[in-house]
Amino acid sequence: MTDIETGTDHLLARVENGVAVLTMNRPERRNALSEQMIGALGTTLAQVEADDAVGAVVLTGAGGAFCAGGDVKGFAERSPGAPEASKELLQRANQRATSGRLWRMPKPTIAVLPGAAAGAGLSMALACDLRYAASSAVLTTAFARVALAGDYGSAWFLVRLVGPARARELLYLSPRLSADDALRLGLVNAVIPPDALEREAMAVAHRLADGPRTALASMKQNVALALTTPLDDYMDVEVTHHLATFATDDHAEAARAFVDKRDPVFGARESGPR
C-alpha cells in the first residue's frame, strides 16, 4: 500500500493493489466539502488518472458518512447575493476537476457510501460508475432545503439514472431516501451490511483493477456515447473500439485462457497491438 500526499488532512488517499482509495475526511462535519478538500480532490483525481499503477478509483468518506455536500454552516456565515465572477469561474473549474473527472476518466470509478450522501456529495457519488451503499446510508439531493439550484452535475446525473420526471421529484422535494429506496430507483448498485461494505466494494474494485483495462475504458466511453449519440454514429465508434481491443495483449491472453480452460491474467497495462 502506498499513501498519496494530498496536501490536506481533509482528503486521505492511498493506492492499494492497483486501486486508488480517496477518503473525504471531515467526520465532525459528515465530510462536508471544504475548499481544501475540493482542491485536493481535483488534484488527486488527475494524479491517479495518469498513474498506470492505478486501475480503478474508489471514493468514500470517513467516520460513517459519505459526504454531506456543501458546508451549510459556512454558507450561513456569508452575506447573501450573487457570487463574484471569480467564484463562479473557480466553481466551474472545481466541478470539472471532481465530478466531471470521475465521470470522464477512462478508469472505473466506484462510490462507497458508508452513510449519508447529500447535495454535492450525492452528485459526486452519482458521477461514479458504480455505487455501493451501506444498509444504513441515507441519500438526498438537499438543495431545495437550503434554497440552492444544485451543483456538481446533480440534475445531469439524475436525469440519466432515473429519468427527468423522477429527477424533478428528487430535486424539488428532497426526500430522504433509504439505501433500499435508492436501490429500487437505480441510484445504487447494491446495498450491503455496514460491516461488510468496505470488503465487498473493494473486492469489486480489485477485480476491475485486475481486469482488461483498455476494454474497460472503451466500455466506459461506449456507455457515455450511448446517452447522446444517434445509433448509427454510435455503432461506428463501437466498431472502432471493438477492433482496437481485439488487437490488444489482454485479448490475446483471454483467448489463450479460454483454450486452456483457466482464468485470464491481465497484465499489459498499456495494451497495444500484438
Side-chain angles (χ1 to χ4, degrees):
M1 184 178 73
T2 303
D3 290 333
I4 300 173
E5 177 55 54
T6 68
T8 175
D9 60 5
H10 289 189
L11 181 74
L12 308 178
R14 69 183 192 273
V15 177
E16 177 183 312
N17 297 325
V19 177
V21 181
L22 279 57
T23 304
M24 295 173 283
N25 186 44
R26 297 182 75 204
E28 74 284 357
R29 294 286 184 94
R30 293 191 304 162
N31 305 318
L33 301 172
S34 65
E35 291 183 7
Q36 299 97 309
M37 185 192 294
I38 286 292
L41 187 57
T43 300
T44 306
L45 285 171
Q47 180 178 341
V48 298
E49 178 179 353
D51 188 348
D52 289 338
V54 173
V57 177
V58 167
L59 180 65
T60 190
F66 180 74
C67 176
D71 192 339
V72 178
K73 289 185 179 180
F75 296 163
E77 295 169 358
R78 295 205 306 264
S79 299
E84 299 172 6
S86 59
K87 291 182 179 179
E88 181 173 347
L89 291 175
L90 177 60
Q91 183 162 349
R92 289 184 180 187
N94 285 341
Q95 293 190 171
R96 293 188 179 201
T98 54
S99 54
R101 190 176 292 276
L102 286 165
W103 171 264
R104 292 189 314 269
M105 77 163 63
K107 297 180 179 182
T109 54
I110 302 171
V112 178
L113 283 62
L122 178 60
S123 300
M124 296 280 191
L126 299 180
C128 293
D129 301 325
L130 302 172
R131 284 159 296 282
Y132 296 101
S135 54
S136 54
V138 175
L139 287 69
T140 181
T141 59
F143 297 114
R145 295 180 183 274
V146 289
L148 292 173
D151 56 3
Y152 287 85
S154 56
W156 198 89
F157 297 126
L158 281 170
V159 167
R160 282 155 177 78
L161 286 167
V162 300
R166 186 70 75 179
R168 292 187 188 100
E169 179 185 10
L170 295 176
L171 289 165
Y172 295 171
L173 303 180
S174 293
R176 287 171 55 86
L177 302 175
S178 69
D180 288 335
D181 292 335
L183 181 63
R184 282 191 291 271
L185 287 172
L187 293 176
V188 300
N189 296 87
V191 175
I192 302 169
D195 59 354
L197 177 65
E198 181 178 1
R199 180 178 70 253
E200 294 192 20
M202 287 297 291
V204 174
H206 286 303
R207 177 178 174 180
L208 293 172
D210 292 339
R213 295 187 181 178
T214 301
L216 292 174
S218 295
M219 290 174 187
K220 181 165 181 172
Q221 189 174 359
N222 285 349
V223 171
L225 287 169
L227 294 170
T228 58
T229 308
L231 177 59
D232 287 346
D233 294 340
Y234 164 79
M235 289 196 295
D236 288 346
V237 177
E238 185 181 57
V239 168
T240 300
H241 288 166
H242 189 68
L243 294 180
T245 53
F246 191 87
T248 61
D249 294 329
D250 280 345
H251 171 68
E253 161 60 11
R256 288 192 296 268
F258 180 82
V259 172
D260 296 341
K261 297 182 179 180
R262 60 175 174 81
D263 292 332
V265 179
F266 299 114
R269 291 313 174 206
E270 291 190 20
S271 300
R274 294 195 300 271

